[in-house]
Structures are given as C-alpha cells and as structure tokens.
Amino acid sequence: MTAVDWFVGENYSLGRLLVTEGLAAIYLVAFLAARNQFRPLVGSTGMLPIPRFLRAVPFTRSPSIFHLHYSDRFFEGICWTGAGLSLAALLGLTQVVPLAVCMLVWFALWVLYLSIVNVSQLWYSFGWESLLLEAGFLAIFLGNASVGPPILVLLMLRWLLFRLEFGAGLIKMRGDRCWKKLTCLYYHHETQPMPGPFSWYFHRLPKPLHRVEVLGNHFAQLVVPFGLFAPQPVAAVAATIMIVTQLWLVASGNFSWLNWTTIVLGLSVVPDSVYEAVLPLDVPAGSDSAPVPFAALVIAVTALVVVLSYWPIRNLISHGQRMNASFNKWHFVNTYGAFGSITRVRYEVIVEGTSDAHLGVHSEWKEYGFKGKPGDVNRRPRQFAPYHLRLDWLLWFTAISPGYAEPWFRGFVERLLRNDADTLKLLQYNPFPDQPPKHVRARMYRYEFTTWKERRETGAWWKRQPV
C-alpha cells in the first residue's frame, strides 16, 4: 500500500540525501571526538567520572544505556559502534537497505549519542549536542531511496532551522545592547571561545564593515527565517542566505558542529530543480510513494512535534528567553540561541608547571600548550571545527568565571602532577616529558590580537599581559 500523494515531497530527493549524508558525517565526528576524549574527562577515573554520576542520577532523569552497564571499554565500544553506523550511512548503505533497517540504523545513532550526552555532564552541556540529537531523531523518519521524501519531516526540519536561527536572533536583541548598537563585532572575533586561523583578519576589518556584519546577522536571523515557510523559490533563497552566513561563521571561528548542522538543515530546503540547475549532478529519481505504516508513523511524530513546540514557542516570546535549553530528557524540540552577551576583554587561563621542589622567586615555570585555545602568542589559531575540543572550550568559560572550573579543575591539575597519559593527549605540548612537575599553577592573562604593525614587526598573533 502507498501513502496519499500529498505525503511525498517529489522535488526533494537530493535535499533528503544531502541531509542524511551531512548528519552522518557530523555523527561520525561526534563519536570519534567522544572516543578520543572521554577517558580523562568522564571515564572511570576521569575528572567527572560517569560511574559517580550514575550512582547519583537515576535513569528516569537522564536516560542512557550506561545505566544498564558502564565500563571504559563499554563506552569505547559504544563510540566505535556509533562511528561505524555513521560511516555506513555516510557511504550510502542506508539508502539501499530495506526501509526498516535504515530507520533502525538512525534510531541506534540517536540512542547511542543520547546515552553519551546524558551522562557526560559539563563537557556535553552545549546547544549543539541537543541540536544534533534533535536533527538526528528527525532523520529516523526521512526514509531512504525506497520511499519518497516525507514532506512533513522536511517541514519539521525547517521548523528546527527556524527555531535555531530566530532564537539566536532574538537572544541577541534581548541580551546585549551592543547588538542593537551594531558594535558587538568590534569585540567578538577577538573574544570568542576559540578563534580560528582567519579570526585575526576578521577582527582587523574596518569598524564600518563590522557594523555591516551585525546588520547582515540581524537580517539573516530575524527576517530570513520566515521565508523558510514561503513557496519556492523564496524558501530556497532564504535557506541559501542562511547557508552563506553560516559559511562566514565557519571561516571566522571554531563553533564545533553548530554551523555545519545549520548548513545541513538548510540543504533540505533547496529543491532538486535548483541543484540540477547549478550543480553537475544527476538527481536520483527516487520513489514517489511511501508505505502507509511509515506514513502513519511520520504523522504521529509530526503531532508530537506540534505538541512539544509549545515550550520553545513560549520561550521565544518570553522576555526571559533562555538561550539553549532542552525541555525534556530526550533533547527533542529544544530552544536554541548563541552569544546573547559578548565579552569585551579576552582572558586566558595559562597552566604552568615547575620541576623545582622548593618554590622561590627563581623557580622556573614552564607553560603547557593546548591544541585550540590561545597560549603561545606566536602560534596562529588553528581550525578544528567541526571537531570539538571540550577541555579547551571549558577553559574559556573558566577565564570568565572560576565557578565553571570548580567541579573538574582540581582533578585536571592532579593528573598533570602525575603526567597522566590520557590527560596529556588532550594537550598540544607537555613541557615535562620525562618526569612530572613538582608543582602546577594557573595564571590569568589578558589577551589581545596584535595590530597590523605589531604583526609585521614581531610575527606574533597575540599580545598578552598577566592579570
């Protein structure tokens, strides 16, 4: 049996394919990042160990398969399983298997990553985790080449994209006066959590261009999202504007997979006819029908999204708007936002150690190097996104308020004092390769990008002074 004609979006086969391929790639990055970083962060002897969390928080509050069993080997196995399923989807294998198998693969990806997010505490407390989970859950119902693209799921993806962009626009207008004054980007490129290789150049753009940047951001986030629900080609134009602005953000900084997920969602809005016109691609014909049970399941999920949308809508119209929040333990139909406030001055926590057993004014302190966060003033910021460096990111928050480090920083220092191998893998440079230091300290510095003149004369990207 086939579903009624209205159920299938006949002109979105390639858009559906690009969304599933894109989400599979992001899932792959997320699972690999989890595997590479979990032992020192949340492992059995980590800074915020999962076993301790599981003893304190029941399944009903934080659903996770780790409530059934936890060991570091099991966690690693979950990561490799998720990475393998992601790779299978990325290679297109889910497009050729039966529909039920395809849905099961995407369901497994969602369950596995939800299980990681729900037990990993501060290290996974960012909006892009909920964004990936919500988009990943909707991907379960996108189907594969055996069924036509479900128009209801495509609309739910647009609704997710709308909440993501419009929520970010509203939180800016409500949060920091510099967004209204068009001056936030005088500071943002320099003070953002993890600058990228081009951030110095973005920061040194003339101030009138920074004001144009802000105006463009307001247009893309407060006006353009409404175009997602207009007839084509208006919806495709709106999505294209969002994609271009997100690529601008990709070039200007490191924001994990936030920008890339937004781009992937935007690809779902563009019809096949546009892709055919601008790209040398043969759009797959695909099916123009869908089984009735599949259609019934999609309709049920759509009804669930409609009901759960009450909470993010209430948040959007509230003067007390929350920037990133999940209203349920499944991270489904969330509210989003970014940079409701902008820091004007960049502070960095610099971690140092010494081999001197007895401290004095002549003690020699050596600095640890981190992979992403600023340290050595001569080291150009690197590009890591969509890969996410969780330790580096939380150290940026620590520089804003030491309270962010209270649960884990002591454990981090203890691991440096014994040259813990797993912890040192999170760093770029260990100044004590042979023996661990006798003492470790953290100092606060103010960092600024060098001027054009200073850059030419010294070759440095940053200048700093101790605070």
Side-chain angles (χ1 to χ4, degrees):
M1 298 178 65
T2 59
V4 292
D5 293 340
W6 63 263
F7 181 81
V8 174
E10 295 181 357
N11 199 22
Y12 293 95
S13 295
L14 186 54
R16 191 251 309 265
L17 178 62
L18 292 174
V19 169
T20 53
E21 295 286 297
L23 288 177
I26 295 169
Y27 261 135
L28 178 60
V29 171
F31 281 113
L32 291 178
R35 184 270 166 200
N36 292 341
Q37 301 178 52
F38 85 93
R39 288 184 184 275
L41 301 182
V42 295
S44 296
T45 59
M47 302 173 213
L48 295 175
I50 289 176
R52 185 177 66 190
F53 177 83
L54 294 174
R55 290 192 295 269
V57 181
F59 177 90
T60 52
R61 283 178 50 196
S62 189
S64 171
I65 58 178
F66 295 118
H67 280 282
L68 301 175
H69 171 72
Y70 180 82
S71 69
D72 288 352
R73 180 175 294 181
F74 184 62
F75 189 104
E76 187 169 9
I78 291 296
C79 293
W80 283 123
T81 301
L85 292 175
S86 304
L87 184 60
L90 182 60
L91 294 175
L93 299 182
T94 52
Q95 294 296 316
V96 297
V97 298
L99 176 60
V101 176
C102 171
M103 296 179 69
L104 186 61
V105 169
W106 283 102
F107 178 74
L109 287 169
W110 177 74
V111 168
L112 295 179
Y113 198 64
L114 176 73
S115 295
I116 292 174
V117 170
N118 276 351
V119 298
S120 296
Q121 306 157 78
L122 272 177
W123 306 107
Y124 280 72
S125 59
F126 303 105
W128 48 74
E129 314 294 358
S130 295
L131 177 61
L132 177 55
L133 285 170
E134 182 170 352
F137 185 82
L138 293 177
I140 299 170
F141 307 96
L142 273 172
N144 59 9
S146 66
V147 297
I151 192 66
L152 291 176
V153 181
L154 294 173
L155 288 173
M156 284 189 282
L157 291 173
R158 294 189 196 189
W159 172 229
L160 170 55
L161 181 57
F162 177 91
R163 281 181 281 122
L164 176 63
E165 289 281 35
F166 192 60
L170 284 180
I171 200 70
K172 289 180 176 66
M173 299 303 288
R174 289 169 172 162
D176 197 319
R177 292 178 60 192
C178 70
W179 289 113
K180 293 180 180 179
K181 295 167 64 177
L182 309 182
T183 59
C184 275
L185 294 188
Y186 292 179
Y187 320 100
H188 167 72
H189 296 303
E190 181 179 71
T191 63
Q192 62 183 304
M194 197 179 300
F198 302 108
S199 298
W200 185 94
Y201 298 98
F202 277 90
H203 180 67
R204 289 301 169 200
L205 289 173
K207 286 187 175 181
L209 284 182
H210 285 316
R211 299 172 72 88
V212 172
E213 278 187 283
V214 178
L215 278 173
N217 178 87
H218 291 336
F219 177 70
Q221 294 188 326
L222 294 172
V223 178
V224 171
F226 291 94
L228 295 173
F229 303 104
Q232 297 291 9
V234 176
V237 171
T240 301
I241 292 172
M242 291 181 177
I243 291 170
V244 170
T245 57
Q246 290 299 317
L247 289 172
W248 183 268
L249 295 173
V250 167
S252 66
N254 285 284
F255 301 102
S256 188
W257 49 77
L258 174 63
N259 307 125
W260 288 109
T261 309
T262 309
I263 290 169
V264 167
L265 293 172
L267 295 175
S268 71
V269 184
V270 181
D272 293 347
S273 55
V274 173
Y275 288 121
E276 287 179 301
V278 300
L279 296 174
L281 295 173
D282 291 326
V283 176
S287 174
D288 59 357
S289 63
V292 170
F294 175 69
L297 192 58
V298 168
I299 292 171
V301 171
T302 304
L304 177 63
V305 170
V306 170
V307 172
L308 294 179
S309 292
Y310 166 77
W311 285 273
I313 290 174
R314 186 178 67 172
N315 183 66
L316 285 173
I317 64 177
S318 170
H319 291 294
Q321 179 188 359
R322 298 166 67 186
M323 189 160 65
N324 283 299
S326 180
F327 299 103
N328 53 72
K329 54 199 172 188
W330 310 104
H331 295 265
F332 190 48
V333 193
N334 313 293
T335 187
Y336 301 98
F339 294 104
S341 61
I342 296 294
T343 53
R344 271 56 167 181
V345 177
R346 181 177 201 94
Y347 294 108
E348 286 291 341
V349 174
I350 301 300
V351 182
E352 301 171 330
T354 181
S355 297
D356 296 344
H358 303 286
L359 298 180
V361 294
H362 299 296
S363 294
E364 181 185 10
W365 293 92
K366 298 178 181 179
E367 185 175 323
Y368 286 89
F370 289 80
K371 293 181 179 179
K373 82 177 211 65
D376 180 0
V377 296
N378 294 307
R379 185 170 182 259
R380 184 179 185 177
R382 307 296 171 86
Q383 182 67 41
F384 285 96
Y387 194 86
H388 182 38
L389 299 172
R390 300 187 182 278
L391 176 62
D392 295 60
W393 197 274
L394 272 189
L395 279 167
W396 178 78
F397 283 100
T398 299
I400 297 174
S401 172
Y404 285 104
E406 186 174 350
W408 58 269
F409 194 78
R410 179 182 295 273
F412 173 60
V413 170
E414 289 172 351
R415 284 157 178 77
L416 294 182
L417 286 169
R418 61 173 186 266
N419 264 3
D420 177 69
D422 290 323
T423 302
L424 293 175
K425 290 177 183 176
L426 300 178
L427 307 182
Q428 177 72 24
Y429 173 68
N430 172 27
F432 304 95
D434 301 319
Q435 288 185 323
K438 299 295 184 182
H439 301 279
V440 169
R441 72 180 183 185
R443 304 181 72 196
M444 186 83 79
Y445 282 82
R446 175 175 178 173
Y447 271 67
E448 297 176 85
F449 275 135
T450 52
T451 63
W452 286 97
K453 180 180 179 182
E454 291 167 335
R455 175 88 186 91
R456 286 193 301 268
E457 292 177 349
T458 67
W461 297 93
W462 299 95
K463 54 186 176 183
R464 72 181 190 181
Q465 54 185 164
V467 177

